[in-house]
Amino acid sequence: MRDLIAPHGDLPRGKNPEQIAKADPRQRAWVEVNPAAVEANCRSLRRHLCESCALMAVVKADGYGHGALTVARAALQGGAKSLGVATLQEGIELRQAGHNAPVLVLGNLTHSEDLKACLHWQLMPTLSSMREALLCQNLADGSGRQFRIQLKIDTGMTRLGCELKEAPMLVEAIGHLNQLELKGIYSHLALADGDLQGKAAMVTDQQQQHFETVLRTLPEQHNGFTRHLANSAGTLRDRGLHYDMVRVGLALYGHSPNLQLQGKVDLQPALSVKARVTLIRDVPAGVGVSYGHRFTTRRPSRLAVVGIGYADGVSRSLSGQISAIADGQLLPQVGAITMDQLVLDATNHPDLEVGSIVTLLGKDGDACITPQQWSDLSGSIPWEVLCSFKHRLPRLVI
Ligand SMILES: *Cc1c(COP(=O)(O)O)cnc(C)c1O
């Protein structure tokens, strides 16, 4: 990990996100990213928050597949005050690109070398235990620098975070570690994307109560930190969950965590997946198509072979269930989706030709295909759909 630390303390000049965008538009398939949509979503989200509540843009997993640098820039432009990442490397990437905004590492860094890199790059690690707090104190002690950290409390997610009953003691102990600066206390909701009533409401309410119980035990002098609890779902479902900051991922990219929360804030999808027709075939009725011949033509058919497959992130479990849009018209996908290609039934679309662009995900004319539609069909969730597009697909920033 030592090579992650530059010899000098200054930040190297950044990669321009637009450089990543210079993909050849004649590609067989690509992901189109619209940073203006991310910026507009941030503004919409900001309007939904009260004046004193800040917006953290969660740009982990390469900005949910949109390109972390593209998204970070647009989000900060749209009023986000800080950035959330999952890993050390993701945080360093932001710093190397020249972003100076506060960055919180949401994942757990266990190695001393990782925490050292965090201190060097001024990334805030998430601490869940005394062990990590002491590691940070020792690292900072040697460097003569203050280490800005955040403490996570488990209020019911049962993943990262300290035990509820340990929290007051940990806050006090951190207060005594003179090299540590506690910048935030937070927790994470487990069921906020569930129904607005029933179990999801009960669990969310209970998590909030646990969070407040901890906050109430903290002595007066510990009030320089940011309290935060809500992800996208929490942000949209209840303003009572907002506190000093919300950590928004999915909504930033233009998608609602569930149908009930749709329309609470005006959101525009920022990503489309497009591919080109690479071959047109006119075949008779009764022809088996693709591996396993899962589909057989019922009539003389015009088939369009498209250069995108499951190795690009179009899940094989969607085979025969999705459509693609060409000129605002839906064309059914037929047969098994293969590693690099899929087949559309273009019988009702005689204008389609080799080189024509089809939209697998996103909007074209009046037609629109959403990650939610795919995830409903494949038993996934919109988050996973967005993160599944591989880097074989160039990101085209529009
Ligand atoms: C990923 C993540 C978020 C963002 O979640 P969304 O549902 O995409 O808004 C917020 N907080 C933490 C701790 C996360 O890991």
Side-chain angles (χ1 to χ4, degrees), residues 256-321:
S256 171
N258 70 29
L259 284 175
Q260 282 181 307
L261 298 174
Q262 211 161 349
K264 289 245 179 178
V265 167
D266 190 25
L267 298 173
Q268 308 170 29
L271 175 149
S272 333
V273 178
K274 301 193 174 180
R276 280 180 199 275
V277 173
T278 58
L279 191 65
I280 297 282
R281 303 284 305 276
D282 288 300
V283 300
V287 168
V289 176
S290 188
Y291 288 122
H293 284 183
R294 289 182 186 202
F295 173 80
T296 303
T297 55
R298 282 180 288 270
R299 53 180 180 182
S301 299
R302 166 162 275 220
L303 302 178
V305 182
V306 175
I308 192 169
Y310 62 74
D312 300 293
V314 184
S315 171
R316 187 171 171 279
S317 65
L318 295 169
S319 293
Q321 302 191 78

Side-chain angles (χ1 to χ4, degrees), residues 58 60 64 106 152 159 188 231-232 247-250 383:
V58 178
K60 62 190 179 186
Y64 291 39
L106 300 163
K152 189 165 191 183
R159 203 178 54 176
H188 193 42
N231 50 7
S232 294
R247 306 182 304 269
V248 177
L250 191 71
W383 292 261

